[in-house]
Structure formats: structure tokens, C-alpha cells
Amino acid sequence: MNLFQWLKPAKRAKTPDLTPAQLQRLSQLPRATALSEKPLRQQRWVVLDLETSGLNMNSDEVLSIGAVVIEDGAIDLGQQFERTLLRPDHKLSPSVLIHGLGPSAIAAGSEPVEALLDFMAFVGDSPLLAFHAPFDQHMISRALKESLGYKLQHAFLDVAEIAPLLCPHACLRRAGLDDWTGFFGLQAEERHHASADALVTAELALILFSHARRQDIDSPARLEQCLAKWRRRQQSHSF
């Protein structure tokens, strides 16, 4: 860094313009908790899927959020979340049309600040699951930071890593959600729709939790530890 760069004032992050009511809701959001040692069946999980305007994690936007809850060892269909984060004046793009977000969905879209506050209230202090979680984690974290000034600190586990960790016999390398649902005989009614993808990911997660228990991996903390070891093995084999 040269002298002129050092003297140049750093850019300040833009502070979101929130109403007093929104600031109060933000302050009341539960804090994230560490993954517990209690059995997997006793953990409430939020399974997340996002539809985005593209795959660029730094410039594309979250279009919609779909989430479902796993609690008491089952999918609780009474706890589902779905929001479209598009304003009525949002221009249609090819990606919007691909995801089925036509004019009617856009017209019913929620203002991002309210939608994200609703989502984090829905999540509470629960850990999150997603398929290819690093992408969803980055995108939702960026949206929360830009719209709310909120830093996401919740645990985020990747079902795309849990599956090969627990089922190496499947011999599925770099497999997608369709590959794993096909392997286990699951039927997805609709794909490339956030709520439907979240639901089938939750169904896959329940199957994997059953495999985990049979392998004496019966707590969220233990599962995270095994995933960390599995990642290190994968990295060492890649060299």
C-alpha cells in the first residue's frame, strides 16, 4: 500500500435506513447458538433454499426464500416459510422467468427488509441446512447485511457434504440434489422453486440423519466434527 492509498479515507458501509419499528424487531431477533450435543431428533433445523438472479455471489440478488422446519425428527409442515423479495416495479429477467416468478409473483413480492426480518424471526436460534450451503449462506448473509446491517452467525451445514460423508457407498462424486434424491428414490413435485427444493432437501436430510444415527453420529455437534474431518480428507486426496 502506498502513502496515497493509506491517506485515502476508507469507504464506509452504507447503513440501512430502517424505521423505529424495524429496528426494534431487529434488536429482538434471537442470538445464534452453538451446535448442541443433544440427539439429532431433538434439534430444530431450518432447511433453506434460495432462488437468485444468477450465480455471481457478489452481484446477483436473492429473488425468493423457501424454508421448512425439521423438528422432533420429522418435517413440520405447519412451519414453512416462503417469500418473494421483489418489488412490484422489479424488471423481469430471464432468471426470474426460469424460476417461475412471473408478474403475479412479483406484484405480491415482499419488501426485502420486512421479508428478511420475517425470515430471521422464523429461523430463531436454529441451525440451518441447505444443499450446496456455501452459496446459500453467502447470498442470504449478504442480503441480511445490505438490507438490515445484520451479521448472520448461525451454524450452516451442507447436505451436499453430509450425503457423501454418510453414504460413501453411493459413489456419487460432485452430485447434485437430483442425483441424491434419485439415489434414495425421492420424488420432487417441482424443482427450481425455493419452497419445493427446501422440502425435498429436508426429506433427504431426514434420511441422512437416520444413517448418521446408525453410525453413532447422533448430535449436531458430532455431525459438524465429522464433516470437518471429512473435508480435510477430501482436501488431502485432491493433492
Side-chain angles (χ1 to χ4, degrees), residues 17 26 29 70 76 86 121 165 167-168 170 190 195 209 213 231:
D17 186 16
L26 184 63
L29 292 176
I70 294 175
D76 184 353
L86 294 174
L165 161 70
C167 305
E190 187 178 1
S195 295
F209 288 163
R213 286 189 291 271
R231 285 189 210 103

Side-chain angles (χ1 to χ4, degrees), residues 90-166:
H90 198 290
K91 294 180 180 179
L92 287 176
S93 69
S95 61
V96 171
L97 296 174
I98 288 171
H99 296 308
L101 299 174
S104 60
I106 292 171
S110 300
E111 197 275 326
V113 167
E114 292 295 331
L116 291 166
L117 283 169
D118 289 346
F119 175 65
M120 290 313 301
F122 175 82
V123 171
D125 63 357
S126 300
L128 292 136
L129 290 169
F131 199 93
H132 291 151
F135 178 81
D136 293 82
Q137 182 177 16
H138 183 94
M139 294 297 289
I140 195 67
S141 295
R142 207 185 96 220
L144 288 164
K145 187 69 174 176
E146 291 175 355
S147 293
L148 302 178
Y150 178 91
K151 184 177 180 181
L152 183 68
Q153 296 182 313
H154 292 60
F156 225 117
L157 272 63
D158 189 357
V159 178
E161 291 184 335
I162 297 172
L165 161 70
L166 298 174

Side-chain angles (χ1 to χ4, degrees), residues 14-189:
K14 183 180 178 182
T15 303
D17 186 16
L18 304 180
T19 67
Q22 290 168 341
L23 287 170
Q24 183 177 10
R25 289 188 65 194
L26 184 63
S27 69
Q28 293 173 344
L29 292 176
R31 292 178 178 269
T33 57
L35 289 175
S36 75
E37 297 285 353
K38 62 187 178 184
L40 290 170
R41 285 182 179 274
Q42 295 179 19
Q43 177 65 61
R44 179 184 187 266
W45 301 88
V46 175
V47 186
L48 169 69
D49 188 82
L50 303 176
E51 300 300 348
T52 63
S53 59
L55 299 178
N56 188 315
M57 294 194 293
N58 296 316
S59 62
D60 283 307
E61 300 177 354
V62 175
L63 301 179
S64 64
I65 302 172
V68 67
V69 166
I70 294 175
E71 195 164 26
D72 296 327
I75 297 170
D76 184 353
L77 295 177
Q79 298 187 68
Q80 295 190 72
F81 183 92
E82 184 173 9
R83 291 289 190 284
T84 300
L85 273 68
L86 294 174
R87 297 179 179 88
D89 60 351
H90 198 290
K91 294 180 180 179
L92 287 176
S93 69
S95 61
V96 171
L97 296 174
I98 288 171
H99 296 308
L101 299 174
S104 60
I106 292 171
S110 300
E111 197 275 326
V113 167
E114 292 295 331
L116 291 166
L117 283 169
D118 289 346
F119 175 65
M120 290 313 301
F122 175 82
V123 171
D125 63 357
S126 300
L128 292 136
L129 290 169
F131 199 93
H132 291 151
F135 178 81
D136 293 82
Q137 182 177 16
H138 183 94
M139 294 297 289
I140 195 67
S141 295
R142 207 185 96 220
L144 288 164
K145 187 69 174 176
E146 291 175 355
S147 293
L148 302 178
Y150 178 91
K151 184 177 180 181
L152 183 68
Q153 296 182 313
H154 292 60
F156 225 117
L157 272 63
D158 189 357
V159 178
E161 291 184 335
I162 297 172
L165 161 70
L166 298 174
C167 305
H169 59 280
C171 298
L172 293 175
R173 293 176 59 85
R174 303 181 185 278
L177 182 58
D178 289 332
D179 298 305
W180 283 107
T181 55
F183 178 79
F184 287 112
L186 297 175
Q187 298 293 325
E189 293 184 6

